[in-house]
Amino acid sequence: MAHTPTPVRHHRRPRTAVLATLATVVTALVAALLAWPGAERADAAQDAAAAPGTFAHPGVTVSRGQLDFTREKVNAGAQPWKGAYDQMMGSKYASLSRTPKPRAVVECGSYSDPNYGCTDEREDAIAAYTTALAWYITRDERYAKKSIELMDAWSATIKDHTNSNAPLQTGWAGSSWPRAAEIIKHTYTGSWANSGRFATMLRTVYLPEIINGSNSNGNWELSMMEAAIGISVFIEDKGSYDKAMAKFRTRTAAYVYLASDGDLPKTVPSQNLDTRAKIVKYWQGQGTFTTGLTQETCRDFTHTGYGLSAISHVAETSRIQGDDLYKTDVGERLRQGLGFQAKYELGEAPPGSLCGGSVHRGLGPVTEVGYNALHNRLGNAMTNTQKLTEQNRPAGSNNLFVAWETLTHADNPS
């Protein structure tokens, strides 16, 4: 007689047991990730600022309140704003006879060799921002129309950025364009018929080139994220804003050293800087880490200035959008970074433990935004940064992505 097998009974596990198992697995995965070399150093992005529920406009580096303060001071002839305004209006960027020079393909090699449209693009973008500021302060429509002419010329033409410096070039020009566009779109009382085409340009030509970041020197990714965040505000893209902000927080933590970071600086996981030797090499051969030192201090102060400037611009935009990064580690790193560099920029001789006792000065016009936020708004003593900032007024343009910050941010309470 055939044997009848005993039926197998499948017992459903209680839901609490399933959840407990899942929790154990998740905990193990998190522990494994944290154990991965460098992962523990990349925690800055975990609390990255989320996009606002509603974007504030104009809201890229300068707010309407800041613009109103600036306009009031200039019209009153008050200093340093009137001097800064005169400097801006006397520059080539404010010229009403400027002819835009757009290209379908901007090709930029290392150190701008080759330079096919690189300088033209950056300077047209700064000019668009300059004339937008001029419009707001003077209410002379000719400046708004010039800004629109520059933006329209490029949005009708450009299709791509190529060669090795394409990501950085896109970041630089892409930082200035949305500043101009925000002012014109949200304050100009006339028409800008092609504003949608300009937004499409930023979304399709600029954003894809920068949003995934860079593993080059830190100023690259900081400038790229500045542009990505500014573009995200203008096109109101919360997803790209959040992605760029997370990369920015991680990179900022890996760019300026604080003693609280430990024996070694924080790192960006994708760079696999998982040994001291690799980190020291990436930090330009600097093996002694002091609060305020940046990843590029021992390269030169000019590139360091690019990085610190981008940090201040993103923090300023984030504050306008409702989340004050100056009150986080971003602000502390910026404060220490500015102060450290300012001390030597002012002429103090570096010790032998810093860059072999020799630094390459030339920080640039990059201290106003951070100094105003951290000293004037938040009350931090910043003696060296204050001295350098006041000594360099009015701060002009670095002809890349920084322009007229004494005008817009000196002692600006808004």
Side-chain angles (χ1 to χ4, degrees), residues 194-414:
N194 293 313
S195 64
R197 187 179 74 195
F198 187 80
T200 298
M201 175 193 79
L202 294 180
R203 181 183 292 108
T204 61
V205 178
Y206 287 78
L207 198 55
E209 185 71 47
I210 54 181
I211 192 63
N212 291 317
S214 166
N215 286 328
S216 185
N217 281 299
N219 81 86
W220 277 51
E221 188 164 80
L222 289 167
S223 290
M224 290 162 68
M225 292 310 105
E226 177 191 342
I229 287 164
I231 289 169
S232 298
V233 170
F234 182 69
I235 66 176
E236 299 196 327
D237 186 328
K238 294 181 180 181
S240 61
Y241 184 98
D242 286 346
K243 182 174 181 178
M245 189 61 76
K247 285 188 175 296
F248 167 77
R249 293 293 299 271
T250 298
R251 176 60 68 177
T252 298
Y255 194 71
V256 183
Y257 175 79
L258 298 178
S260 57
D261 295 337
D263 293 338
L264 294 172
K266 292 177 180 285
T267 64
V268 175
S270 60
Q271 294 190 258
N272 297 313
L273 300 174
D274 51 6
T275 67
R276 177 182 172 83
K278 288 181 182 179
I279 291 171
V280 169
K281 181 179 180 182
Y282 185 60
W283 281 63
Q284 321 297 324
Q286 178 69 12
T288 301
F289 302 103
T290 308
T291 290
L293 180 80
T294 80
Q295 183 256 316
E296 295 187 271
T297 297
C298 293
R299 180 187 185 188
D300 58 63
F301 280 20
T302 302
H303 286 89
T304 296
Y306 300 163
L308 293 174
S309 180
I311 292 170
S312 70
H313 292 163
V314 172
E316 194 73 357
T317 295
S318 180
R319 188 189 65 85
I320 295 167
Q321 297 305 325
D323 189 34
D324 195 346
L325 289 182
Y326 291 116
K327 295 178 180 178
T328 71
D329 77 297
V330 169
E332 181 62 8
R333 291 179 194 280
L334 179 60
R335 182 175 78 88
Q336 296 290 353
L338 288 172
F340 186 88
Q341 271 44 236
K343 177 170 62 175
Y344 299 110
E345 183 74 9
L346 287 165
E348 182 169 319
S353 59
L354 176 63
C355 313
S358 175
V359 294
H360 300 283
R361 296 175 175 86
L363 195 61
V366 302
T367 62
E368 287 278 14
V369 176
Y371 171 70
N372 182 55
L374 294 162
H375 175 73
N376 294 328
R377 289 200 203 108
L378 297 182
N380 292 294
M382 298 175 71
T383 307
N384 289 321
T385 305
Q386 178 174 359
K387 183 177 180 180
L388 181 63
T389 300
E390 293 175 350
Q391 177 178 296
N392 288 344
R393 285 178 174 167
S397 175
N398 70 353
N399 304 309
L400 299 173
F401 70 107
V402 178
W404 325 125
E405 293 180 354
T406 296
L407 177 65
T408 55
H409 287 83
D411 301 333
N412 196 322
S414 297

